[in-house]
Structures are given as C-alpha cells and as structure tokens.
Amino acid sequence: MDQVNLKKLAKELNLAVSTVSRALRDSHEISPQTKERVRELALKLGFQPNPHASSLRQNKSKTIAVIIPEIENNFFSQVINGIESVTPSKGYHVLIYLTHEDYNKERDILQLLRNGRVDGIMISVSNSTTNTDHIDAWRQAGIPLVLFDRTCEELDVPNIMTNDAEMAFKATEHLLKRGCKQIAFLGMAGNLSISNRRKAGYLSALEKYKVAAPPQIVELATKDYTNREILNELFRRQPRPDGVFAAIEKFAVNTYEVCKELNLHIPREVKVISFSNLQAAALFDPALSTIIQPAYDIGREAANILFKIIEKKMLMPYEKRMILPSQLMERASTAINSERL
Amino acid sequence: MDQVNLKKLAKELNLAVSTVSRALRDSHEISPQTKERVRELALKLGFQPNPHASSLRQNKSKTIAVIIPEIENNFFSQVINGIESVTPSKGYHVLIYLTHEDYNKERDILQLLRNGRVDGIMISVSNSTTNTDHIDAWRQAGIPLVLFDRTCEELDVPNIMTNDAEMAFKATEHLLKRGCKQIAFLGMAGNLSISNRRKAGYLSALEKYKVAAPPQIVELATKDYTNREILNELFRRQPRPDGVFAAIEKFAVNTYEVCKELNLHIPREVKVISFSNLQAAALFDPALSTIIQPAYDIGREAANILFKIIEKKMLMPYEKRMILPSQLMERASTAINSERL
DNA sequence: AAATTCTTTGCAAACGATTTCGAAAAATCT
DNA sequence: AGATTTTTCGAAATCGTTTGCAAAGAATTT
C-alpha cells in the first residue's frame, strides 16, 4: 500500500482515524495543536482524500455533467468555457457528453447518469428530441438540472437562453430595411423551442412590415450535403430569395457555399445574416453579419444557477427563466448595394 | 431510502447480497435460473450500481481526464470529438479541464487528480509550461498518461502528434514557390516542442532553398491586442515580409486583421498560410491556405492508446510516438498574383 | 457405498472517508 | 471540594459494492 490514507496518517500520529478526518475538515472539536500536527503531516505526505470514499459516504460526487449535441461549434465551446469559469472555485468537476443530435443517445446518457455519478446536469437538447419525458423523469427524480439555449420551456426547470425571438425579429427587420423583399428563413428541422422562437421572430417581422411575399421557411438538417442541395434548389427557384436569415451558423456557411457555386453575389443579389458565435465571421468574404449569443455568459449563469440548486438555495424568479441578450453585428453581408463596409 | 441497491434486491429475492452482485456481473458461479431472477428484478426496479462504491472497491473510476489549454479552438474541439468516439464504448466518462495556457493551473490540476478520481489522463500542455516535472511525477506514479499535439518528447510517455516539421517545411516551401522572398514565421512564445518542430521545418526550408533574406521569427502570445501591435510593427518595417507562415490559426487571423488595417492586399502583397482546423477558412477573404491537422484522429488514437495502457496491454513501438500526417490545403491566400482560385 | 469433485450460495471482510455516540479529561461553576 | 459543563478524542457504524472463503448440496468418480 503506497497510497497515503487517513489510516496511515492516524497511525503515524498516534491518533484515531476520526480525529484525523475531523482535523483535516477543520472541525471545531479538534484542538488547534492537533489540527496543526495533522495538517503538517498530511501536507508532508501529500495526502489527498479518496474521492470515491467521500462521495460514497456523503452521497455527493462533486461532479456535474454537461450534455450537448456537438462540440465542434463555437457556441458550445464558449458555453463550456463559461461553465468552467465557475466550477473550479466550487471544487467541482465537469463531465462532457455529446449526443450528436441523437435523441436516443441523449436519453441513454441521462439514464446512465441517474446513479449518483453527478450532482446535477446542464443540458442543451438535441434537435431530434421531440419527447421530453427523459428530462421530466430526471426533474421528477429531484436531481438538479438546468437547460440552456436548446431549452424545453414547457418543463418546470430553469431555462437559460437568449432573446431569440427578439433578435430574429431584428435580423429580419434588418434585412427588410436593407431592401430585401423576399427573405428566406433557414431553420433547424425538428420541433425545438429555440427554432420556434426564432421562426416566430422572423414571422412577426414580416407581419409587422406587411411584406407582400409569403414567408419562406426552409428546414435544414445537419448534413452539409443535403443542405447544399436544398439551398441550390431554393436559389434557382423563382422568386429567388434576396435575403437569408440563417438560424444557425452552419446554414450561413452553406448559403455562402451555394451562392459562390451559383455565382450569386453577396450582398448585392442575396443578403445574409445569421446566428453565429464565430469570431472569424468578420473575415468572411464578405464579412458575415451575425447575431452573437452571449455564450460564455449563458454557460456561467447556467452553472451558477445549477450550483444554487445543488446547494439548495432558493432561486429568484428571474433565475428560473433567464434571458441574456444577444448582439446584432452588422457587417458586409447585409450592406446595401452602394454601401461599403 | 428510495434508491434501489444490492441490499434491497437481495432482500426482495431472498438471496445474499453477494449472490445478487455476482449474478449481475454474470459470474460463472451463479446458476442461470438465479441470474435470470436477479436480472429481471433489477431491470424492473431500474437498479443501477452506485459508481462510487464500485470505484472505491475496485480502485478504478472508469473516468479519464482531458486537459487542454483552451476549448475555443476548433482543433481541441475536434480532438475531444475524437476522444468521445471511443470512450462510451469502453464505458468510460470524460472529465474536461482547461489550463487557459497557465502552467500553474496545469500543475494544480494534475495534482488534484492524483487521488484516484481518474484512471488516466490525456494532456496537451500549456504554452507557458517550461518545466515538465509535474508530468514526469505523474508518469512516475505509474498512472496512465498520454500526451497529444503539445507534447514533451523528452519524456518517456506516449506522444501523439502530427508531422509538424514536415508540414512546416512544406508550408514554407509553398510560399517560396509562390514567389515569396521574405517569409516571416509567427510562432507561439514559450518553449513547446511543437513550436520548435514547426520552427525547425520553417528554417530547414529556408536553408534548403538558400533564401538570401534572414529568417524572421516572430513570437506571439495569446493576447490579440499585443499580437496586432507587434504585427503592425512587423509590416511597417522594411524589408516588409511578403509571406507569413502562422504556426497557429489565431495568428493568421491577426495577420488578416492587420493587413486589412494597413491596406496590404492578400495575396498580392502578402501571402499567408497557417496551421488551422477552421472549416470556415475557405470562406475567408481571401480563402486561407491551411495546414489541416487530423485532430479527430489524434483524439481517437490518443484515447485508444490510453485505454491500451489502462488495460495493461503492451504498446507497439509506433504507439509510443505516433505521428499522424496533416494535409496542406492550398487556397487563395497563397495564390500567385495572376492566379485566381 | 464411500470418496471425490463441482455447483451454487451465503457470510463477512474489505475499500477509505465521514459521522454518531459516548467517554475521558479539562475547565468552569456552585 | 463537589457538581456541572465544555473540550477533545476514540470506537464503531455507515455508505454500496466486490470478493475471499466456507459450506451445503449435487454430481461424479473410485
């Protein structure tokens, strides 16, 4: 046995295991002198309590899980960064799980974690998730849970998101003010509340500005290949959209690709704006106008709220449904024809 | 007690706890009938073994840690994706730790994990890491460990990386063949082996092609602001570089920003090539020529090797130092002046 | 039929930390 | 001085699972 544990410390110091444990946890019922002796030896031997023994006894893991659809996406990376900005100070560890936009994986992961491995989870649901029973079951089990970005607002759990509808409205309005008459909305297939919020914002802008052309809602998937085919068709059809509002970055990229293919000039023939957290959007040809989500803040706030729940503190009403504002960054892809950005 | 555990199953079935445990682990010493009875009830009650108790008893955590400098970087995201492509099938969980390029954090994290919380770690060292004692201590403790990308080749641990020197050579050669006379190398400050490999490739290309101009090695940090200042100065000085080889993507982005600021045309006045795993590099203005690292494969292979070590299998010689080739993607940022890409 | 193996199960001791309870010693109060 | 409280510590139970060992019964061999 080369691992140093409480028993070894106790024997070395001629103390009981319980005394050593208490001393290290700074219990009031241990004399300062004893504490000092214990601490000194613990430091010298580099003692570190076995986390599994602690977790078993105390029934908490000091670990949370973050469940996201994908990781090759700046938004989720930034969220993780935000989460990680609070976890170390809480002495917590972060497990990452990827659903790859697969409902079954998502359900299985939640099932897998219902054994005390984590003290709570933060989840952004996959776009193939239509049934939320697995999440509701988790909620009912009383294990701390926070949803972010891809939320399920019908469930009574904290939801942290951005002002999707409002920004979708502004994005559409922006295109309209730039002269677009025929704006297409590129949204995620599925029935995510986030998609619906963005779609609603798009529709309400069209309505408010009494746009003659009917709304053009295109549902895309996560496969680039088919997306490009669909967009190719969209841009060949008459009337051709002169404005594109992409609900997610990938669709904007696909739009750029197809426009290049079809020799459609952005922004002269087609203006493009998109939700995106890509730093490099400013370097695109042309620079892409974006709606930037406060991803880092979403991660940080979601983590803070999760810890409040874990620590059994009361949540303020605004923490149960927190909305952090996005920012519209106007760039060349939505410039009016004469304009130079 | 609403949690279902072995004791509850045993009582319900009128069996000993040990029998139930063995039945669920499909031990040969339990009769098929008993196994079936146990499995049935376990399924019915949704029994899931407590991982902390298991870990404590078996002295393994079924968890690995991935320690990286940052996560807002496509390369590391893709690596994580690659890692995650093997962990679930091994029944393993993945903890993520960020060092934020801080040696002290890196050391502390390694220290923090030396208590059995993880069965092994995969690490890409921070660029402020000059001392590798913390990693060597980990190695000496005999806990499975794999280094990837930002490796420490002087240590006797498996290193998984790409052919940095070769690709740096090719990148520099590419710029030379495109007519560059004065190529600057933008490398990371610090003394990482990866930086040295890339720098060496750059230098050997200059040497092979007998370039008259002296090498121009610029060391940049991770702060955008100072980087831009340094580059600004670089491009105002005579002789002005007509080619830039960026060792990391961020520096290429900085170069683009500064060139735009100074009205230097890429690729006419300055050609740029960079290590980068950014999908959207093709959409840049101009499209950025890149050296694409097999990030996903690096993650997958590193994980596979780590599991071989965890499972105490012998490593093949090539697994102790694995080199996965990168790919040079020629785009507009290195086009010769007349050429259109 | 006796001796032996094999199969199947139970008992109890780990794993290492935390915590309840109680006891001895010291300090404070009548 | 005696009674009472406070301080300080130890013994043992506990968390839930795994596993060495023993034991009983069944099956096989001699």
Side-chain angles (χ1 to χ4, degrees), chain A residues 134-171:
Chain A
H134 56 312
I135 295 176
D136 202 47
W138 187 281
R139 182 189 65 77
Q140 279 178 27
I143 317 175
L145 159 70
V146 163
L147 286 167
F148 64 93
D149 192 51
R150 310 252 201 110
T151 55
C152 299
E153 292 187 79
E154 66 276 20
L155 294 180
D156 181 28
V157 292
N159 285 305
I160 292 87
M161 55 196 151
T162 191
N163 52 345
D164 291 293
E166 191 183 331
M167 295 313 291
F169 180 94
K170 282 193 182 167

Side-chain angles (χ1 to χ4, degrees), chain B residues 5-6 18 21-22 25 47 50 54 57:
Chain B
N5 52 25
L6 285 186
S18 53
S21 172
R22 275 187 266 251
R25 320 187 92 239
F47 168 76
N50 181 308
S54 280
R57 183 60 230 254

Side-chain angles (χ1 to χ4, degrees), chain A residues 14-41:
Chain A
N14 239 342
L15 287 173
V17 173
S18 51
T19 307
V20 178
S21 172
R22 276 188 271 249
L24 290 173
R25 319 190 92 239
D26 204 23
S27 160
H28 68 278
E29 43 185 339
I30 301 296
S31 72
Q33 300 90 307
T34 314
K35 276 184 190 170
E36 196 41 43
R37 281 211 309 144
V38 173
R39 282 197 194 120
E40 198 176 332
L41 186 69

Side-chain angles (χ1 to χ4, degrees), chain A residues 5-6 18 21-22 25 47 54 57:
Chain A
N5 51 25
L6 284 187
S18 51
S21 172
R22 276 188 271 249
R25 319 190 92 239
F47 168 76
S54 281
R57 184 57 228 257

Side-chain angles (χ1 to χ4, degrees), chain A residues 152-204:
Chain A
C152 299
E153 292 187 79
E154 66 276 20
L155 294 180
D156 181 28
V157 292
N159 285 305
I160 292 87
M161 55 196 151
T162 191
N163 52 345
D164 291 293
E166 191 183 331
M167 295 313 291
F169 180 94
K170 282 193 182 167
T172 313
E173 183 181 49
H174 176 68
L175 288 173
L176 290 171
K177 288 191 173 168
R178 296 288 156 159
C180 295
K181 306 286 180 208
Q182 180 81 41
I183 300 173
F185 172 79
L186 309 185
M188 249 186 311
N191 194 30
L192 289 179
S193 67
I194 190 171
S195 300
N196 294 333
R197 291 196 296 273
R198 292 179 185 182
K199 198 188 299 175
Y202 160 76
L203 290 174
S204 81

